[in-house]
Amino acid sequence: MDSAAPERADHASHRATAGPEPAGYRRLFAAPEFRTVFVAHACSLLGTVVSEITLTVLVYGLTGSPLLSALTFALGFLPYLAGGTLLAGIADRFPPRRVLVLCDLVCAGCAGLMALPATPVAALLALRCVIAAVSPVFNGTRMATLADILGSGDLFVLGRSLLRIVSQGAVLAGFGLGGVLLLVVPPRGALLITTGTFLASATLLRLGTRRRPARTPAHPEGADGATLVRYSLAGARKLLADRRARALLLLLWVPPMFSVAPEALAAAYGDEIGAGSAGVGLLMSALPVGTIAGELYAGAVLSAAARARVVLPLGTVALLPLTTYALTPGIAPALAVLVLTGAGSAYTLGLDRWFVDAVPEELRGRAMAVYTAGLMTIQGIGMALAGAAAELLAVHTVVAAAGALGTLCCALLAAEVRRTRPVRPS
């Protein structure tokens, strides 16, 4: 167990670091632990993205079934809800470094078993579910640990933003890298590389981060699985029962639910406007490019106060550009609309700060796990709803309707966030 003195020294250094300094990401790397977390995140994330395309190709090669191949990809989303609600308590009940390392080792073990020639398709799908269920626990623990490393102020916001940028970049680069990798190694060989990335992440986190105590240590009689599930669900109920935390959480969740519509329907829209395969690829990458650009600008140029000021106005109108799909724009205007929509997600930098401030420290790990699980789940729901709507309506109508309905929902949520704003002492 760490003593209190190093913790106080840590927080003192956070206050000194988070003082009146220029905005920007560079100062994050002055914290050695953040450098470790950053590199470990890049390793495990790249491995995850490569494994997704590799496993999809492997299952299709073994079965010849497009349904099973698509299900393999979908299983990356579905178990998030179960893992983020039933297992979220792990993030607060056990020392965070131990949780992070064990999660990486579990994922490495699953990827290693997938790589075995004798592993059948049913086992491949089951192992995919295990990795997906572990992910929200890992991500929630890492997000809470960032607050320990960087403090809960502006450095935490920038750290979260930079990890999101890496995630978006990995999505853009990972699928291309996975495709190239499969040209030189078989799918199961690529899965062995994924195993190595998870092991590298585990090693970095074990050797490069401090051991910190659990936020709410388990009682001897409360270490069984049933008690852990109750503890996890109690944390979720407590989080959602808090009016402000609930409003902030919904404002983090709802815009991505609607913004996935143009990505989910990119192939169909490309066919509708005759954009071809290259156009579809551009339509799918435009939103992440806008997201990266918006976050980089907000993090590097805007001050913490400016980011706080734009949260509600930007969060309200971020989806509004999608309504221009009603005019069935060509490929160039559609790309501009998607980049602009992605850039609007920069509102999350200020919202991250509000959310972590609204959550008690002893609930932080569970809150971050619930946030991660809900985000992935609601995006999956958004994709499914967009696809179902496109069976009945033209694709451009569906995307425009997503923009309009999403803007209305965000306006209502922004009003709720404003109503629950803490009263400043006079």
Side-chain angles (χ1 to χ4, degrees):
M1 298 283 285
D2 296 321
S3 67
E7 289 292 336
R8 286 194 295 269
D10 259 7
H11 288 296
S13 66
H14 296 328
R15 287 193 296 270
T17 307
E21 295 187 11
Y25 295 98
R26 185 180 303 174
R27 54 198 170 113
L28 291 169
F29 294 96
E33 283 188 284
F34 179 79
R35 296 198 296 267
T36 298
V37 171
F38 178 82
V39 176
H41 174 64
C43 286
S44 62
L45 185 62
L46 195 59
T48 299
V49 175
V50 170
S51 72
E52 286 176 351
I53 186 172
T54 300
L55 196 57
T56 301
V57 171
L58 177 59
V59 170
Y60 184 74
L62 291 173
T63 65
S65 169
L67 174 62
L68 286 176
S69 180
L71 180 62
T72 303
F73 191 80
L75 286 175
F77 289 89
L78 300 179
Y80 255 80
L81 184 60
T85 53
L86 303 181
L87 303 178
I90 294 173
D92 287 326
R93 187 60 69 88
F94 299 97
R97 187 179 69 179
R98 185 190 306 171
V99 173
L100 293 173
V101 171
L102 286 178
C103 284
D104 266 337
L105 291 178
V106 168
C107 291
C110 288
L113 291 174
M114 289 176 183
L116 296 176
T119 305
V121 171
L124 290 174
L125 297 178
L127 291 167
R128 181 76 178 95
C129 285
V130 173
I131 292 176
V134 166
S135 292
V137 177
F138 178 87
N139 291 333
T141 305
R142 185 184 59 211
M143 287 167 64
T145 302
L146 272 186
D148 295 333
I149 295 172
L150 300 172
S152 58
D154 193 46
L155 282 183
F156 169 79
V157 172
L158 293 175
R160 283 276 299 122
S161 172
L162 192 56
L163 294 188
R164 273 198 302 266
I165 289 170
V166 172
S167 299
Q168 293 288 344
V171 170
L172 290 173
F175 286 123
L177 178 61
V180 171
L181 191 61
L182 290 174
L183 294 176
V184 295
V185 297
R188 293 193 190 269
L191 286 170
L192 281 177
I193 294 174
T194 296
T195 303
T197 63
F198 282 123
L199 290 175
S201 175
T203 302
L204 286 167
L205 293 171
R206 176 63 182 82
L207 300 178
T209 60
R210 289 181 47 205
R211 185 179 187 274
R212 293 177 171 85
R215 288 179 177 79
T216 52
H219 297 291
E221 69 276 10
D224 60 280
T227 301
L228 179 61
V229 169
R230 288 195 297 270
Y231 175 73
S232 301
L233 292 175
R237 285 194 296 268
K238 185 176 180 181
L239 176 68
L240 296 175
D242 183 281
R243 183 179 175 184
R244 178 162 179 79
R246 183 175 64 245
L248 295 171
L249 197 57
L250 288 172
L251 193 54
L252 285 164
W253 282 347
V254 169
M257 176 183 177
F258 290 99
S259 67
V260 297
E263 288 185 296
L265 301 176
Y269 188 69
D271 182 61
E272 186 176 298
I273 63 174
S277 300
V280 172
L282 290 173
L283 288 169
M284 293 188 71
S285 62
L287 200 69
V289 167
T291 299
I292 292 172
E295 292 223 17
L296 280 174
Y297 178 82
V301 177
L302 299 183
S303 66
R307 290 195 295 268
R309 285 195 298 270
V310 303
V311 168
L312 297 183
L314 188 57
T316 300
V317 303
L319 297 170
L320 196 58
L322 293 181
T323 59
T324 60
Y325 262 69
L327 304 175
T328 319
I331 183 67
L335 292 176
V337 165
L338 293 175
V339 169
L340 185 60
T341 302
S345 65
Y347 80 95
T348 56
L349 274 76
L351 196 58
D352 277 341
R353 172 69 181 273
W354 293 355
F355 183 61
V356 77
D357 286 344
V359 175
E361 184 175 355
E362 68 274 8
L363 188 62
R364 190 173 290 162
R366 285 170 288 171
M368 297 304 183
V370 169
Y371 160 65
T372 303
L375 182 62
M376 293 296 290
T377 302
I378 206 163
Q379 287 182 95
I381 292 172
M383 290 179 181
L385 291 176
E391 292 289 325
L392 305 173
L393 302 169
V395 175
H396 69 274
T397 302
V398 173
V399 176
L405 183 58
T407 299
L408 175 61
C409 292
C410 289
L412 295 173
L413 287 171
E416 175 68 0
V417 170
R418 192 175 285 109
R419 283 192 293 267
T420 60
R421 183 174 292 164
V423 179
R424 294 179 180 178
S426 56

